[in-house]
Amino acid sequence: MTQQSDHIKSFYDELLRTRLFSFINATPGFVHNISNPLTIIATRAQLLQLKMLQNTDFKKMVEQSKIIESMLNNIVYISRNILDQKFKLLNINELLKNELTFLLTDLFFKHNVEKKYQLHPNLPKTKGVYFHISTVFFCVMQLQFFLMRDAVEKKVSVRTSEKDNNIIIDITGTGERLSEVEVNQIFSKSINLETDDIKPKQLLINNLAKSCQITSDDNIILVVESNPYQTHYQMVIPIIHE
């Protein structure tokens, strides 16, 4: 009976992955179907705004339409790039802007966290795999959300810079500290895979550890330092032009 249950669970996991991949691949078409009527509504609102300048409702409709359009474009950007395993030229600032916009779907991050972004205006592009870099960043942010949930001050800063032919991404967040053991687990080759009774924090640490392993061949380095007041993560990405 147990063996049959294991087979069923295996089939379920496989079919779920298939459905999820299908959903992600279908996202651009889904967004396109929404964008067409949205464009018509926005255009009509703009025309009515010109005819009835005293009515501010049409201006609000146009503004809200632009917000929805921006959100839809973000979904398309993420869905197209997240499945791309190709080694290609990447704009790290653009990657971070879109990942941070997508993270606003987390209502805790959107409404409760004070955010500060400093993206280097002349940051060079580099060749890399979008999934690798974005997944490390995503796992860092997910762990940091957990660490700051009960903090009095909930602050996150993200900064990019260039140094010694590397792109540097610095992420700092307030909240619960990571112990030395937990920091070491992030860089351990042996990940705790006990999932029956695994704690949420350990699961997030495991995910970050896995993301670090998939970037090992890309020479991407992650450094983590934690104290009682904040945790600092630094991603070092080599600049590759060829």
Side-chain angles (χ1 to χ4, degrees):
M1 189 67 180
T2 303
Q3 186 176 7
Q4 184 179 4
S5 299
D6 289 342
H7 279 305
I8 291 173
K9 186 178 185 305
S10 176
F11 293 155
Y12 173 84
D13 291 341
E14 183 179 343
L15 290 170
L16 179 60
R17 284 194 295 271
T18 300
R19 290 295 307 273
L20 289 174
F21 278 124
S22 175
F23 179 82
I24 294 171
N25 282 321
T27 299
F30 176 75
V31 169
H32 175 76
N33 290 340
I34 296 176
S35 296
N36 283 342
L38 179 65
T39 300
I40 294 172
I41 292 170
T43 303
R44 181 59 61 88
Q46 286 176 321
L47 292 173
L48 292 171
Q49 181 185 352
L50 292 173
K51 291 181 180 179
M52 292 176 275
L53 297 175
Q54 72 283 1
N55 192 327
T56 59
D57 289 340
F58 296 119
K59 182 180 179 181
K60 292 177 182 177
M61 289 175 64
V62 173
E63 290 172 349
Q64 292 301 312
S65 295
K66 289 180 179 178
I67 292 173
I68 296 171
E69 183 181 8
S70 176
M71 293 169 64
L72 292 173
N73 289 337
N74 176 251
I75 293 172
V76 172
Y77 179 90
I78 297 291
S79 63
R80 281 179 173 168
N81 283 283
I82 201 169
L83 295 180
D84 193 350
Q85 294 289 332
K86 294 178 182 177
F87 193 74
K88 64 179 184 180
L89 200 62
L90 298 174
N91 182 327
I92 299 299
N93 279 348
E94 183 182 64
L95 180 153
L96 290 176
K97 286 178 184 176
N98 278 279
E99 290 292 330
L100 287 165
T101 299
F102 183 78
L103 285 173
L104 292 175
T105 55
D106 186 310
L107 297 183
F108 168 77
F109 179 59
K110 181 177 181 179
H111 296 296
N112 300 104
V113 178
E114 182 181 332
K115 311 161 195 64
K116 183 178 180 181
Y117 307 143
Q118 292 178 291
L119 304 183
H120 191 292
N122 300 312
L123 201 67
K125 294 181 179 181
T126 183
K127 283 199 169 181
V129 179
Y130 181 95
F131 180 80
H132 292 180
I133 296 172
S134 65
T135 300
V136 174
F137 179 74
F138 176 82
C139 290
V140 164
M141 295 298 285
Q142 291 297 309
L143 176 57
Q144 188 52 46
F145 292 171
F146 181 87
L147 295 179
M148 65 171 50
R149 282 199 178 267
D150 296 324
V152 176
E153 283 191 321
K154 300 173 176 62
K155 296 181 179 180
V156 164
S157 70
V158 178
R159 181 170 64 93
T160 59
S161 58
E162 178 189 1
K163 184 179 180 181
D164 299 331
N165 205 37
N166 292 305
I167 292 173
I168 312 295
I169 304 175
D170 287 295
I171 306 154
T172 303
T174 58
E176 177 188 346
R177 77 175 299 175
L178 289 169
S179 68
E180 185 177 349
V181 171
E182 289 169 333
V183 171
N184 289 336
Q185 286 176 341
I186 293 172
F187 306 107
S188 173
K189 299 297 182 183
S190 178
I191 300 171
N192 179 7
L193 296 177
E194 295 296 328
T195 55
D196 290 341
D197 191 33
I198 193 167
K199 304 300 182 185
K201 186 180 182 182
Q202 185 61 54
L203 181 60
L204 293 167
I205 290 172
N206 284 1
N207 288 341
L208 182 53
K210 292 173 186 175
S211 72
C212 289
Q213 288 193 22
I214 67 170
T215 60
S216 58
D217 291 340
D218 301 337
N219 296 317
I220 294 172
I221 299 170
L222 178 68
V223 179
V224 181
E225 296 178 353
S226 192
N227 61 51
Y229 307 102
Q230 64 181 25
T231 300
H232 177 236
Y233 315 80
Q234 185 176 81
M235 288 178 63
V236 182
I237 305 168
I239 298 174
I240 303 171
H241 300 291
E242 298 296 334

